[in-house]
Amino acid sequence: QVHLVESGGGSVQDGGSLTLSCAVSGYYTYNANCMGWFRQAPGKEREGVAAIERDDSTSYVESVKGRFTISQDSAKNKLTLRMTDLKPEDSAMYYCSADRSTCHPDLVAFFGNEGQGTQVTVSS
């Protein structure tokens, strides 16, 4: 089992930036090959945001391309999501997750081992 703890959320103005972090333990023990971020706003379904494979290949949902950047350290102990040009529609609880599965943002929300989440609020 991979253990994940998110941090870094907060409140920003439209157009602002935030960097989310996820402390990861057990990546190699679990033989994971994919980590990612998903979000969930009140009353809405989970939405995958970004994913990164063991070889650092990345993929993003269309709505965040060019604004968000996912990265991981070489030891796979830390996952980061750099978010720029934030919009009110980006407001949500953000979660990180990991699995040994096909690596795609659409699947990240269903890995089933996310942390407690960190809240991002963007005001207009």
Side-chain angles (χ1 to χ4, degrees):
Q1 188 77 8
V2 181
H3 184 63
L4 306 114
V5 180
E6 302 92 341
S7 62
S11 297
V12 296
Q13 296 284 332
D14 191 351
S17 301
L18 278 174
T19 299
L20 306 183
S21 295
C22 176
V24 182
S25 60
Y27 182 97
Y28 285 108
T29 303
Y30 186 67
N31 197 28
N33 68 293
C34 178
M35 292 198 286
W37 292 90
F38 69 92
R39 62 191 180 188
Q40 188 168 24
K44 295 189 176 181
E45 294 186 353
R46 294 182 170 193
E47 177 189 29
V49 173
I52 185 166
E53 299 188 48
R54 186 177 283 206
D55 67 357
D56 292 334
S57 300
T58 58
S59 53
Y60 300 89
V61 67
E62 193 64 34
S63 61
V64 308
K65 281 183 179 178
R67 300 189 298 123
F68 290 13
T69 302
I70 188 172
S71 61
Q72 61 191 358
D73 69 342
S74 58
K76 307 298 189 289
N77 290 331
K78 184 177 180 181
L79 180 70
T80 300
L81 186 69
R82 174 63 177 165
M83 305 184 295
T84 63
D85 190 23
L86 282 161
K87 307 174 187 301
E89 52 264 41
D90 294 317
S91 296
M93 187 72 81
Y94 281 71
Y95 302 86
C96 58
S97 190
D99 202 39
R100 46 191 179 211
S101 174
T102 302
C103 200
H104 189 278
D106 290 345
L107 300 179
V108 170
F110 304 101
F111 285 169
N113 61 359
E114 65 271 11
Q116 82 291 345
T118 187
Q119 179 68 41
V120 172
T121 303
V122 185
S123 56
S124 57

